[in-house]
Amino acid sequence: MQEDPVMMVNKAGNTPLHEAVKHRWNKLALRLLEKEPTCAHTPNNEMQTPLHMAAREGLADVVAKILEQPWVPGHDEFNAASSGTALHQAVLGGHTKVVETLLAKKKPQLMIDQKDSNGNTALHFAAQKNDAHMVRTLLKHKEDLAHGRNNAEQSALHVAANYGSTKAAKELLRHCPDAAEMLDKEDRNALHIAVISGKVDALKCLLQHVRPAEVVNRRDNFGDTPLHLAAKRSRIKSALMLLKDRRVDPCLLNEAGQSARSIVEERVADGEMDTYLVYLWKELKKSEASRCKNQKLPLVATYQSLRSRRATSGNDEYFELSVETYTLVATLIATVTFAATFTMPGGYNQTSGTAIHADRAAFKIFVVSNTVAMCSSIVVVFCFIWAWRDPVKFKLDQLKWGHRLTVVACLAMIVSLMTSVYLTVLPSARWPAYLVIAIGACTPAVVVLILGKEVIYVPL
């Protein structure tokens, strides 16, 4: 008996319906379903059915057509694919309409709490993708889905913290605030995971939306709080953010009897020291001094002992490169602005020797901005000349000001450019002058758009 062409498979195990869905041929897929509805549940070599693939591709009409047909799955058939069910695939693709179609049918093979081979529910996938709308849709159908755990005992909030999914985390906490108290197999909550993964935005989000101090200071299997982990893993920004939160207790000791400050000092003794870690040590030491009075803590090392044990590190190489870059940029700005002083826009009056445009407002703006650029860059050059005397102290106290003054000098140079063009070009050609001014005005906005608020900070 000849095999039905609709059910024939290629080397990948794909039927014609698989291929139609794979290439998003919507009309062809619908016609094949009319011919043979049962082929919608035929798995290929990767154990994916056309329903899986249609859900992933967002083919809502095809999914709806497949679900119209009655079907009772075999044992674990809907869980055979390592990528999970069709619902997992729809969530992964971000196809809300397909998800709502699947959930509306309420068939046994589409149960909302089904897991993939790693134990992840569809909500775990939504948290990973930072899809707040998808999280809201899933929790609307089953709110306690937020308490589901994967094979690592992680909830969806753990996954959101690991991937830095702040929108998903907010939505999860809004529906299930107690999700912040859930622990994985190492007794770590979402704050621990955010610190370990280095997702500062996720940590900030959690600190803003989690209230109990017990959660913020929760100890894991080793007695480490999120602050301990930040110190162990050199998560400088995370540690500083935790220290700013008054709920975070810097006096707590882990099972080894260490505070976050003593962990940093131990790393120094092991030769893992870099200057940014010194900055963290100073802040931890300061925090302990103000909040841990009359408490028994490990002995505090002195700054000189830390410095004597300091070893060369990757961050020191980064620092050396930063010093050279800042010095070069500042020198170039100083040179250019100094030259501009003697080549005033429009030139000089041959009789009086004064600038031709001296009485115009734009000229006055040019003079002030040019002076700001030159003086700021000179300050940066002199500061970085002395950087080599004590790189540690310079990094902690003066590097950020050198960075900010360089930013000020660059902004002042842009203003000088715009006013200079305005004075010299505008009288004879308006549109080039206005175009240059527009480009100059947009330059800072483009930089901020690319770098965000980090543009005013030296990366730690």
Side-chain angles (χ1 to χ4, degrees):
M1 183 175 178
Q2 190 174 4
E3 186 179 0
D4 187 348
V6 177
M7 301 299 293
M8 293 179 68
V9 298
N10 59 18
K11 291 182 179 180
N14 289 337
T15 64
L17 183 57
H18 279 97
E19 293 296 328
V21 172
K22 179 181 177 181
H23 293 90
R24 302 179 61 84
W25 295 332
N26 197 65
K27 292 182 179 179
L28 177 58
L30 292 173
R31 291 184 64 183
L32 288 169
L33 283 169
E34 289 178 0
K35 174 71 175 175
E36 183 56 63
T38 59
C39 69
H41 305 292
T42 303
N44 61 13
N45 294 347
E46 296 179 355
M47 299 307 295
Q48 290 197 347
T49 67
L51 178 59
H52 280 88
M53 300 173 70
R56 183 175 65 246
E57 298 297 331
L59 303 180
D61 293 341
V62 175
V63 171
K65 183 72 173 177
I66 293 173
L67 297 179
E68 288 177 1
Q69 303 298 324
W71 172 59
V72 178
H75 179 65
D76 281 344
E77 185 176 347
F78 50 75
N79 228 16
S82 61
S83 53
T85 65
L87 183 61
H88 286 84
Q89 293 298 302
V91 170
L92 193 60
H95 305 301
T96 307
K97 185 177 179 180
V98 174
V99 169
E100 291 175 344
T101 300
L102 291 167
L103 294 176
K105 297 299 179 179
K106 297 184 179 178
K107 289 193 174 186
Q109 72 273 20
L110 302 174
M111 289 174 62
I112 194 170
D113 53 1
Q114 287 297 321
K115 299 179 178 182
D116 68 0
S117 59
N118 294 316
N120 293 310
T121 65
L123 187 62
H124 285 89
F125 278 43
Q128 178 184 339
K129 298 292 289 185
N130 198 21
D131 193 333
H133 180 69
M134 196 70 75
V135 169
R136 185 162 55 251
T137 300
L138 293 169
L139 292 178
K140 182 176 67 176
H141 283 79
K142 189 173 184 179
E143 194 161 276
D144 66 353
L145 192 62
H147 299 133
R149 303 171 187 270
N150 60 18
N151 294 349
E153 296 295 318
Q154 291 187 332
S155 68
L157 187 60
H158 283 94
V159 173
N162 185 57
Y163 285 91
S165 304
T166 54
K167 295 177 182 177
K170 288 179 185 177
E171 197 65 34
L172 286 163
L173 289 171
R174 189 173 72 85
H175 283 82
C176 301
D178 60 340
E181 301 175 22
M182 296 184 66
L183 306 176
D184 63 10
K185 63 182 179 182
E186 294 181 330
D187 283 347
R188 290 170 175 167
N189 60 29
L191 282 95
H192 290 93
I193 301 302
V195 170
I196 292 171
S197 61
K199 298 299 188 294
V200 180
D201 290 340
L203 179 62
K204 182 179 180 181
C205 172
L206 291 169
L207 289 174
Q208 289 174 343
H209 292 85
V210 173
R211 297 301 171 210
E214 293 80 7
V215 176
V216 177
N217 293 302
R218 172 76 194 191
R219 291 181 171 94
D220 64 10
N221 280 344
F222 304 98
D224 290 325
T225 66
L227 184 60
H228 284 97
L229 290 175
K232 280 185 175 181
R233 297 171 180 263
S234 296
R235 305 299 189 196
I236 308 297
K237 288 186 178 181
S238 296
L240 296 176
M241 186 178 295
L242 287 166
L243 283 176
K244 289 180 182 179
D245 194 310
R246 295 299 297 176
R247 296 170 298 171
V248 175
D249 189 353
C251 315
L252 295 177
L253 305 180
N254 61 15
E255 289 185 354
Q258 298 173 307
S259 67
R261 186 262 312 157
S262 66
I263 288 174
V264 173
E265 292 174 355
E266 185 178 90
R267 293 188 59 194
V268 176
D270 292 340
E272 299 179 17
M273 190 57 189
D274 63 53
T275 308
Y276 294 128
L277 210 54
V278 172
Y279 182 82
L280 175 58
W281 171 76
K282 286 182 65 176
E283 294 300 314
L284 288 167
K285 180 182 175 184
K286 188 189 304 181
S287 184
E288 279 189 6
S290 62
R291 299 178 59 185
C292 307
K293 296 177 180 178
N294 302 323
Q295 294 194 39
K296 189 176 181 180
L297 296 172
L299 295 176
V300 180
T302 64
Y303 173 77
Q304 291 302 324
S305 66
L306 285 178
R307 189 178 176 190
S308 65
R309 290 180 287 187
R310 183 171 170 270
T312 303
S313 67
N315 272 338
D316 290 320
E317 294 175 2
Y318 164 77
F319 171 69
E320 293 173 8
L321 181 60
S322 296
V323 170
E324 293 174 1
T325 303
Y326 281 117
T327 305
L328 176 61
V329 171
T331 303
L332 288 173
I333 293 175
T335 302
V336 171
T337 52
F338 182 78
T341 305
F342 296 98
T343 56
M344 291 293 182
Y348 295 91
N349 187 309
Q350 296 299 322
T351 304
S352 62
T354 59
I356 293 175
H357 299 296
D359 58 337
R360 300 183 64 178
F363 181 83
K364 296 172 184 176
I365 296 174
F366 166 80
V367 171
V368 172
S369 60
N370 195 66
T371 303
V372 169
M374 180 175 177
C375 293
S376 297
S377 58
I378 289 175
V379 171
V380 172
V381 170
F382 271 89
C383 285
F384 279 85
I385 287 174
W386 269 267
W388 302 105
R389 295 187 60 184
D390 189 350
V392 173
K393 184 175 184 299
F394 186 85
K395 276 193 198 180
L396 302 183
D397 302 326
Q398 285 123 17
L399 182 57
K400 63 181 180 181
W401 289 109
H403 174 78
R404 290 171 184 175
L405 283 173
T406 302
V407 172
V408 169
C410 290
L411 291 174
M413 277 194 70
I414 293 174
V415 175
S416 296
L417 169 68
M418 292 189 294
T419 52
S420 178
V421 171
Y422 179 84
L423 288 168
T424 56
V425 178
L426 187 64
S428 58
R430 288 182 175 273
W431 74 264
Y434 290 140
L435 180 60
V436 170
I437 292 172
I439 294 172
C442 291
T443 301
V446 172
V447 173
V448 172
L449 184 64
I450 296 173
L451 298 178
K453 61 183 180 181
E454 299 297 325
V455 70
I456 63 173
Y457 298 108
V458 178
L460 293 177

